[in-house]
Amino acid sequence: ATMSRFWNERLQQLTPYVPGEQPQMTNLVKLNTNEHPFGPGETVTQAIRAAVDERLRLYPDPDATQLREAIADWFGLEASQVFPANGSDEVLAFIFQGLFQPGEPVLFPDISYSFYPVYCGLYGLESRTVALDDQLRIPVEAFQPPNGGVIFPNPNAPTGRFLDLESVERILLANPDRVVVIDEAYVDFGGESAARLIPDHPNLLVTQTLSKSRSLAGLRVGYALGQRHLIEGLERIKNSFNSYTLDRPAQAGATAAFRDEAGFRAAQQAVIEQRERLNSGLEALGFEVVPSRANFVFCRHPAISGAELAAQLRERHIIVRHFDKPRIEQYLRITIGTAEQMDALLAALAEILNGGEVQS
């Protein structure tokens, strides 16, 4: 490791995020990274193809104007209240860099998106985790000043639990001088967006992504919604870092995705149906399932450990996410897939648990 002498001190101290595994096995049932089971609609892929021509020699629109307008229309906001970027992870990076206050800890749940502590390390921020209760719910009253800002996913990940907007509003009102970020990567699978609270709360930023509900994880597009002063702060960082963040094909595909409401609703409904079917199947096998509003479920079985279940499923070419972390090491996080994938998973679990058939 002597060559890392070229790394500066901050780089040497970083602990990077580890993404979900992308295994190279064949005929795999891949349920570990919350990708959408169905591809984007034809209008979306056509729009991306149409953007791939000789105009690629030109810089893209640095403000992603068309995309901003499409997102603003969807939410009933102004285009000036929308900030598009490369996936919501880039939006989050800018928030940690420019909107959270150093000197006081950033607050987020102890069981949450594991990128938050990574960003704190990258930008030299303190953090403090807030423990979920024994039902894995967010304790609203614990998000109190002093803090440098508040962030949590809603629905939360990896638990899938949704916090109602009245509770979100209580957190906003408790922190009038700090930015409160609601990370809504999974909101389209049965949650409700806090975007409608934006007019009343100058401290609210909502982040969303096209990676999950819009089947575009491979395109890398996300965005923030908030009052103009917060969006201006994010633009200021972007334009001090990389002013042309979203390429032409990404802008075209993302804009088309917001215009394909029928395709979006149909795919959304299909995932919700499979989630409810999986819940019933898991409960029939004796699993305890956390109520989910996301495109995954978080569950555990009283008779067999999470690590053992994950290993046995892997032997059957089914990959789910197991977090080897305190409080949740018994749980599996299972992405909602196609009906065939859910059937394969339930059949494998029945075999692992009792060598028997799924009770119908």
Side-chain angles (χ1 to χ4, degrees), residues 271-289:
V271 170
I272 292 171
E273 276 167 29
Q274 291 308 318
R275 180 183 67 211
E276 299 318 308
R277 203 168 71 90
L278 176 62
N279 280 344
S280 310
L282 289 169
E283 283 169 358
L285 290 169
F287 278 86
E288 178 192 317
V289 184

Side-chain angles (χ1 to χ4, degrees), residues 63-96:
D63 297 318
T65 310
Q66 270 196 306
L67 175 56
R68 263 178 207 237
E69 286 167 359
I71 296 170
D73 286 348
W74 183 268
F75 287 99
L77 294 168
E78 303 291 314
S80 64
Q81 297 173 310
V82 178
F83 175 80
N86 285 295
S88 53
D89 287 329
E90 183 173 76
V91 180
L92 295 173
F94 290 168
I95 291 167
F96 277 76

Side-chain angles (χ1 to χ4, degrees), residues 64 66 127 193 199 205 215 229 238 348:
Q66 270 196 306
S127 62
S193 178
L205 254 185
S215 308
H229 54 270
K238 170 183 101 81

